[in-house]
């Protein structure tokens, strides 16, 4: 009986939800995922990565980024193993951002404007994987979205990135 209760409780926690405000929530989640996808693309393509001094203060960004991988799952209910791996990785970076851990230092170095090393490294694939996670969430959320609401909000991350672009 206890195992049955626990398994049903876990299912309820992990099952996709139908929320009364879901029609408003989905565009916000798509907007958030689009913003992160553009931010990672910016670093990935070396368009305008942040300077090292700015990046040192962005440890909590990984918390926001990790939660943005996790939150859409509770709406669309897809890609759970991938989302869990991405969330754990982001929590590692959140907790170790100001402590000189090897992998954290590599991500910091690779993500900065001052980076002069090889472009295709382990960190290249981590960023690509992160971009894939945001793309999968956008794909799954878009399948559930009211198309008129999505069309009205889909351009916002691009405008926001253009406004924030400083070069």
């Amino acid at each position: 009986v206890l195992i049955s209760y626990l398994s049903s409780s876990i299912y309820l926690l992990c099952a996709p939800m139908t929320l009364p405000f879901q029609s408003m929530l989905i565009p916000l989640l798509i907007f958030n995922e689009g913003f992160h996808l553009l931010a990672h693309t910016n670093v990935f393509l070396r368009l305008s990565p942040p300077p090292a001094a700015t990046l040192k203060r962005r440890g909590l960004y990984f918390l926001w980024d990790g939660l943005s991988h996790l939150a859409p799952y509770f709406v669309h209910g897809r890609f759970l193993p991938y989302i869990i791996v991405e969330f754990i990785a982001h929590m590692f970076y959140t907790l170790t951002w100001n402590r000189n851990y090897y992998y954290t230092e590599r991500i910091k170095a690779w993500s900065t404007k001052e980076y002069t090393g090889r472009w295709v490294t382990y960190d290249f694939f981590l960023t690509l994987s992160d971009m894939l996670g945001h793309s999968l969430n956008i794909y799954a959320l878009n399948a559930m979205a009211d198309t008129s609401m999505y069309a009205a909000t889909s351009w916002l991350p691009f405008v926001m990135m253009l406004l924030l672009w400083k070069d």
Side-chain angles (χ1 to χ4, degrees):
V1 174
L2 179 62
I3 292 173
S4 174
Y5 173 75
L6 288 175
S7 65
S8 63
S9 299
I10 290 170
Y11 173 76
L12 289 175
L13 287 174
C14 297
M17 297 183 222
T18 304
L19 304 169
F21 52 90
Q22 187 165 313
S23 62
M24 292 182 341
L25 181 64
I26 289 174
L28 292 174
L29 291 171
I30 290 172
F31 173 78
N32 185 51
E33 291 294 315
F35 174 78
H36 285 291
L37 180 60
L38 287 173
H40 295 317
T41 303
N42 179 36
V43 171
F44 183 76
L45 296 177
R46 316 303 295 164
L47 297 174
S48 180
T54 303
L55 197 62
K56 287 183 182 190
R57 298 187 306 265
R58 292 196 181 166
L60 287 179
Y61 169 78
F62 283 95
L63 176 63
W64 176 31
D65 196 11
L67 290 173
S68 81
H69 278 288
L70 188 62
Y73 170 77
F74 293 104
V75 175
H76 63 64
R78 298 168 71 182
F79 317 118
L80 182 61
Y82 193 81
I83 288 171
I84 288 174
V85 168
E86 285 291 323
F87 181 73
I88 290 170
H90 283 81
M91 292 309 98
F92 170 78
Y93 290 122
T94 300
L95 295 172
T96 62
W97 193 252
N98 293 321
R99 300 181 179 123
N100 299 317
Y101 281 77
Y102 175 72
Y103 290 107
T104 308
E105 293 301 318
R106 282 185 60 161
I107 286 291
K108 280 185 199 178
W110 191 83
S111 300
T112 63
K113 184 184 282 190
E114 293 84 7
Y115 182 72
T116 57
R118 291 177 39 211
W119 189 51
V120 178
T121 64
Y122 174 74
D123 311 306
F124 171 92
F125 293 106
L126 287 177
T127 305
L128 191 61
S129 169
D130 206 3
M131 291 166 58
L132 176 64
H134 292 297
S135 299
L136 288 172
N137 274 334
I138 289 171
Y139 169 77
L141 289 167
N142 187 32
M144 300 178 69
D146 173 20
T147 54
S148 62
M149 182 64 89
Y150 176 70
T153 59
S154 61
W155 55 271
L156 288 173
F158 299 102
V159 171
M160 188 171 172
M161 190 57 109
L162 288 173
L163 292 174
L164 295 175
W165 198 304
K166 295 178 183 169
D167 228 7

